């Protein structure tokens, strides 16, 4: 019986990170990786971005399990959010599962979740019509695995992050024989890593990188601040080895890094002498040429943490004159501007900068020839380039066509595309809606495009607040408009602009008060529109305009003091005082008294309406 197969990317295509791919085989949904990505500059205030799994939520009963390739955030970072909704089994290598548990344990909803299963390259799991197995790959973290879904129509292979390195040590080595055997058995479709596809230059071996790190430590006379991704276990091991060889001590920064190091130590994936590590308090007792500071930042992202160190914003350790900041991670092209700004900050703080990527190609992903070698080993009928922006997916496609793979057998997908295999042919079917889910603090998915747009406008053009008090019954403005602005213009230097703005507000409000069909929403919108046109004409800026309209009813009933007639317009202070004394003498002890109003001009607003909607 032929299998009914659908492949749906929920992330990881036409972007960096956030890998999550669903393979639907005969109604069972197999999830490959569950990662996040760090926000780019336009996502103001956003901590991380995870996939939108609305479709999976509607089909949650059909989810079989989650299969993880490795322990980096782009593969496991969204797992705590996913498992909060979908209590399904999770499979991965020992190291991957250990790191996944660190993230899951931080979620209160998942304190009792323990459906983790450790697998290796020899594991096979039979789900009836699908057999899932694994194969070893080389990456910057130990025990990285590729995933093999064996169906009646052939095998569907997901490489995960990989590269080929003949000098890789045990725990990082690729199983070439296994790849050849998979290819001989017949591969229907390959979901292949494209993150380094446009690079024609061979990756430097990890042995050469380790030698370069040790040489840098040896010749640097001051402190070395190493910027590294927290889950890059291979690079951390190389830093520890180089520090030991050059007589330096290592200071770890951040709880995230300490947790990962402790976890890797317990599993035997990191090896070093106990006296190699020192605390921040012990640094003062060491000479600068004896110190290595390993900075990984919050959630394993080191660049922003280095910026804080350069700006003297860290509590314990900051960059000082004579420091060398050694960037051992390879940021994505989207981070080029941020990295350039970071370098400038470091030099301003008196430090120097060196990056591994300046001297050698240190990527943990396969370059063009590696991708072609993988294709020749697996011989897939269809190729689905994944993990990278569009130009990288296209570069992978071009490399495949050089090997003779037909263009119509290569699919560059977007999020939500549904690739369907039926009647011996693979093609695009009806897609589904897939967006991004943004995490801001404890909020999951409560930040949408409108909020982000307003944040951007606030950052670019500031905010303009207009406060007006009205009496709707008398159809008049009680208090003149009061204007406040932040991040828009300097008020004292723009008095004419503010005065004219007040006139525009007054006119717009009065026009609405004179209208028999008064409407609060129309009033606020009218103020925004008139003010927006004027401010743009004068400044060519579009600030967020926030009208605050308060209503005062001047005809509410007053408590009349005794001894005062109905026709009295206002009591004198003396009469009012006597009235109070008389009332106090005659009232019961347990009955609260009401103070008479001394001045009609002071009233409590019965209704105040505000708005935070932009025009």
């Amino acid at each position: 019986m032929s299998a009914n197969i659908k492949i749906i990317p929920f992330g990881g295509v036409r972007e960096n990170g956030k890998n999550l791919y669903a393979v639907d085989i005969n109604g069972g949904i197999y999830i490959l990786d569950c990662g996040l990505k760090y926000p780019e500059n336009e996502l103001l205030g956003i901590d991380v971005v995870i996939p939108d799994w609305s479709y999976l939520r509607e089909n949650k009963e059909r989810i079989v399990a989650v299969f993880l390739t490795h322990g980096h955030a782009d593969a496991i970072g969204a797992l705590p959010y996913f498992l909060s909704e979908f209590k399904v089994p999770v499979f991965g290598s020992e190291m991957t599962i250990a790191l996944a548990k660190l993230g899951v344990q931080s979620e209160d909803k998942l304190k009792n979740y323990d459906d983790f299963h450790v697998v290796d390259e020899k594991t096979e799991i039979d789900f009836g019509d699908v057999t899932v197995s694994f194969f070893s790959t080389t990456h910057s973290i130990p025990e990285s695995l590729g995933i093999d879904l064996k169906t009646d129509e052939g095998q569907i292979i997901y490489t995960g992050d990989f590269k080929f390195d003949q000098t890789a040590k045990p725990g990082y080595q690729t199983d070439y024989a296994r790849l050849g055997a998979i290819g001989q058995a017949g591969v229907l479709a390959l979901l292949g890593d494209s993150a380094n596809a446009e690079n024609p230059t061979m990756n430097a071996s990890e042995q050469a990188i380790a030698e370069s790190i040790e040489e840098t430590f040896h010749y640097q006379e001051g402190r070395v601040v190493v910027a590294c991704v927290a889950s890059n276990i291979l690079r951390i091991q190389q830093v520890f080895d180089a520090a030991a060889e050059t007589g330096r001590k290592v200071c770890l920064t951040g709880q995230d890094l300490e947790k990962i190091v402790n976890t890797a130590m317990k599993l035997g994936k990191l090896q070093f002498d106990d006296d190699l590590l020192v605390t921040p308090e012990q640094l003062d007792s060491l000479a600068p040429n004896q110190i290595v500071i390993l900075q990984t930042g919050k959630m394993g992202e080191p660049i922003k943490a280095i910026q804080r160190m350069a700006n003297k914003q860290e509590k314990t350790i900051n960059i000082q004159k004579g420091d060398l900041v050694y960037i051992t991670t390879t940021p994505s092209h989207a981070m080029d501007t941020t990295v350039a700004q970071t370098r400038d900050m470091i030099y301003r703080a008196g430090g120097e900068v060196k990056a591994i990527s300046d001297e050698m190609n240190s990527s943990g992903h396969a370059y063009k020839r590696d991708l072609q070698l993988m294709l020749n080993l697996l011989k897939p009928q269809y190729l689905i380039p994944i993990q990278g922006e569009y130009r990288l997916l296209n570069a992978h496609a071009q490399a495949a066509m050089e090997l003779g793979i037909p263009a119509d057998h290569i699919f560059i997908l977007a999020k939500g595309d549904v690739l369907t295999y039926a009647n011996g042919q693979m093609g695009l079917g009806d897609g589904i809606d897939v967006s991004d889910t943004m995490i801001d603090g404890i909020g999951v998915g409560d930040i949408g495009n409108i909020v982000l747009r307003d944040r951007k406008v606030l950052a670019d053009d500031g905010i303009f607040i207009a406060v007006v008090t009205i009496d709707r019954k008398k159809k008049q403005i009680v208090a003149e408009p009061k204007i406040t602005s932040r991040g828009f213009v300097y008020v004292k230097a723009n008095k004419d602009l503010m005065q004219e703005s007040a006139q525009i507000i007054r006119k717009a409000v009065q026009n609405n008060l004179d209208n028999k069909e008064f409407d609060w929403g129309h009033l606020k919108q009218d103020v925004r529109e008139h003010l927006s046109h004027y401010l743009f004409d004068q400044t060519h800026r579009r600030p967020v305009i926030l009208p605050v309209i308060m209503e005062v009813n001047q005809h509410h009933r007053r408590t009349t003091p005794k001894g005062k007639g109905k026709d009295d317009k206002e009591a004198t202070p003396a009469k009012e005082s006597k009235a109070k004394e008389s009332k106090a003498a005659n009232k019961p002890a347990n009955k609260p008294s009401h103070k008479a109003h001394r001045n009609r001009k002071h009233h409590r607003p019965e209704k105040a309406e505000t708005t935070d909607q932009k025009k």
Side-chain angles (χ1 to χ4, degrees):
M1 184 178 71
S2 63
N4 183 16
I5 299 172
K6 295 179 181 178
I7 300 173
I8 310 171
F10 288 82
V13 289
R14 309 190 187 200
E15 63 182 352
N16 293 303
K18 196 158 63 69
N19 299 300
L20 192 154
Y21 312 93
V23 182
D24 187 334
I25 305 173
N26 296 332
I29 299 177
Y30 299 79
I31 304 296
L32 309 180
D33 278 342
C34 190
L36 56 76
K37 74 173 181 179
Y38 296 108
E40 296 173 359
N41 293 335
E42 64 270 16
L43 298 181
L44 301 173
I46 300 302
D47 295 326
V48 295
V49 184
I50 63 175
D52 168 24
W53 40 66
S54 301
Y55 173 84
L56 297 176
R57 192 176 293 119
E58 295 169 1
N59 297 273
K60 63 187 307 181
E61 301 301 325
R62 299 199 290 121
I63 299 176
V64 176
V66 177
F67 302 90
L68 305 174
T69 58
H70 66 288
H72 286 163
D74 63 347
I76 67 171
L79 197 61
Y81 306 102
F82 186 86
L83 294 178
S84 295
E85 293 193 50
F86 311 101
K87 301 298 192 295
V88 297
V90 177
F91 296 85
S93 66
E94 184 180 32
M95 185 68 195
T96 302
I97 292 297
L99 294 177
K101 285 182 177 180
L102 288 180
V104 169
Q105 288 169 356
S106 63
E107 288 292 315
D108 292 335
K109 296 179 181 178
L110 300 173
K111 293 293 185 183
N112 298 321
Y113 178 87
D114 193 28
D115 201 357
F116 291 104
H117 305 271
V118 173
V119 299
D120 58 27
E121 68 277 6
K122 299 177 182 178
T123 303
E124 280 193 359
I125 309 169
D126 188 355
F127 290 98
D129 51 357
V130 178
T131 301
V132 182
S133 59
F134 309 87
F135 55 91
S136 299
T137 58
T138 299
H139 193 42
S140 58
I141 189 169
E143 297 180 351
S144 293
L145 298 173
I147 300 171
D148 178 359
L149 305 177
K150 187 176 181 180
T151 75
D152 294 337
E153 300 293 341
Q155 298 171 98
I156 299 171
I157 305 298
Y158 172 46
T159 64
D161 293 3
F162 83 96
K163 67 176 181 177
F164 293 127
D165 184 355
Q166 306 304 319
T167 67
K169 295 181 178 180
Y172 296 89
Q173 294 171 342
T174 299
D175 189 343
Y176 294 93
R178 170 84 167 117
L179 289 174
I182 291 173
Q184 290 296 323
V187 174
L188 173 64
L190 171 65
L191 285 76
D193 177 10
S194 309
N196 196 31
E198 65 180 358
N199 187 358
T201 307
M202 179 183 294
N203 288 329
S205 70
E206 291 300 333
Q207 182 177 339
I209 292 174
E211 292 171 356
S212 176
I213 294 174
E214 183 176 332
E215 182 180 2
T216 299
F217 285 11
H218 181 75
Y219 288 104
Q220 174 63 21
E221 295 181 357
R223 303 190 309 179
V224 180
V225 180
V226 178
C228 178
V229 175
S231 55
N232 190 337
I233 303 299
L234 176 58
R235 195 71 72 239
I236 292 174
Q237 181 68 70
Q238 292 167 339
V239 169
F240 285 174
D241 292 344
E245 288 294 325
T246 56
R248 291 176 180 262
K249 302 296 183 181
V250 180
C251 176
L252 305 180
T253 62
Q255 294 182 350
D256 290 339
L257 177 58
E258 291 180 5
K259 288 179 181 178
I260 291 173
V261 168
N262 288 334
T263 300
M265 283 177 57
K266 291 176 183 178
L267 298 177
K269 310 304 179 186
L270 270 178
Q271 298 176 350
F272 56 91
D273 293 336
D274 293 338
D275 62 350
L276 182 68
L277 299 182
V278 295
T279 64
E281 292 74 22
Q282 294 174 303
L283 293 180
D284 292 337
S285 63
L286 299 173
N289 63 357
Q290 295 179 310
I291 297 173
V292 172
I293 299 166
L294 190 56
Q295 176 61 272
T296 61
K298 184 180 179 181
M299 302 183 74
E301 201 287 312
I303 299 301
K304 291 183 179 179
I306 292 294
Q307 289 182 349
R308 291 194 299 274
M309 291 179 69
N311 291 329
K312 314 295 184 185
Q313 294 175 339
E314 287 289 282
K315 294 180 179 179
T316 54
I317 305 172
N318 291 299
I319 292 171
Q320 61 190 36
K321 188 174 181 179
D323 285 353
L324 172 68
V325 177
Y326 193 21
I327 302 175
T328 62
T329 183
T330 305
S332 67
H333 291 296
M335 292 284 289
D336 284 347
T337 301
T338 303
V339 172
Q341 293 171 344
T342 304
R343 286 173 177 259
D344 190 69
M345 293 176 187
I346 293 167
Y347 281 107
R348 287 174 180 270
E352 297 182 19
V353 184
K354 180 179 180 180
I356 285 182
S357 57
D358 293 341
E359 300 177 351
M360 58 184 69
N361 184 8
S362 61
S363 175
H365 301 268
Y367 80 114
K368 178 180 178 181
R369 297 304 176 198
D370 282 353
L371 296 176
Q372 291 177 325
L373 175 56
M374 180 65 83
L375 289 167
N376 281 327
L377 287 169
L378 296 178
K379 300 179 176 63
Q381 294 182 46
Y382 298 94
L383 171 65
I384 302 109
I386 56 170
Q387 293 177 234
E389 296 172 348
Y390 185 88
R391 71 180 190 283
L392 299 172
L393 306 183
N394 185 66
H396 194 174
Q398 295 297 324
M401 286 188 281
E402 289 180 10
L403 302 182
I405 297 179
D408 60 354
H409 281 220
I410 302 172
F411 296 92
I412 299 179
L413 303 180
K415 290 180 297 185
D417 283 348
V418 179
L419 194 59
T420 303
Y421 183 78
N423 301 320
Q425 295 292 325
M426 187 168 282
L428 285 172
D430 294 334
I432 61 174
D433 291 331
V434 174
S435 59
D436 289 336
T437 301
M438 285 163 278
I439 310 297
D440 185 2
I442 63 172
V444 179
D446 58 350
I447 303 296
N449 291 330
I450 294 176
V451 175
L452 285 175
R453 181 196 65 190
D454 283 350
R455 285 184 179 183
K456 188 175 188 307
V457 172
L458 285 168
D460 291 342
D461 295 329
I463 187 170
F464 193 95
I465 304 171
V467 181
V468 187
T469 304
I470 65 172
D471 185 333
R472 190 153 49 113
K473 290 185 177 180
K474 288 189 174 182
K475 295 186 176 182
Q476 66 183 23
I477 297 173
V478 176
E480 291 298 307
K482 297 188 182 300
I483 296 173
T484 305
S485 75
R486 293 290 183 271
F488 174 51
V489 293
Y490 183 50
V491 174
K492 291 184 178 179
N494 291 272
K495 291 183 178 179
D496 292 342
L497 180 73
M498 295 301 166
Q499 289 175 0
E500 185 62 30
S501 297
Q503 292 289 346
I504 291 171
I505 296 166
R506 188 184 299 108
K507 184 177 180 180
V509 171
Q510 191 61 55
N511 286 341
N512 278 267
L513 288 172
D514 294 338
N515 189 346
K516 292 182 179 179
E517 297 180 0
F518 180 88
D519 180 78
W520 283 103
H522 184 271
L523 168 60
K524 297 167 194 171
Q525 186 63 25
D526 211 21
V527 171
R528 285 193 207 99
E529 287 181 0
H530 285 80
L531 206 51
S532 176
H533 290 311
Y534 172 72
L535 294 177
F536 183 77
D537 288 341
Q538 298 298 314
T539 65
H540 289 277
R541 303 176 196 167
R542 295 189 185 277
V544 172
I545 296 174
L546 184 63
V548 180
I549 313 297
M550 297 189 296
E551 181 183 8
V552 175
N553 185 351
Q554 293 186 322
H555 301 282
H556 63 277
R557 295 180 63 184
R558 291 174 25 190
T559 301
T560 304
K562 290 184 178 181
K564 180 179 176 183
K566 292 183 180 180
D567 297 331
D568 291 343
K569 297 298 182 182
E570 183 172 298
T572 64
K575 289 181 180 180
E576 196 173 72
S577 177
K578 290 179 180 180
K580 286 183 182 179
E581 292 174 3
S582 173
K583 186 172 183 179
N586 297 324
K587 71 170 185 174
N590 61 347
K591 184 177 180 181
S593 62
H594 295 272
K595 292 184 179 180
H597 290 279
R598 303 186 66 142
N599 193 332
R600 285 182 182 270
K601 293 183 180 179
H602 295 282
H603 298 283
R604 181 179 302 165
E606 291 186 345
K607 179 178 180 182
E609 293 204 8
T610 63
T611 178
D612 59 358
Q613 298 294 321
K614 188 176 176 293
K615 62 181 185 302

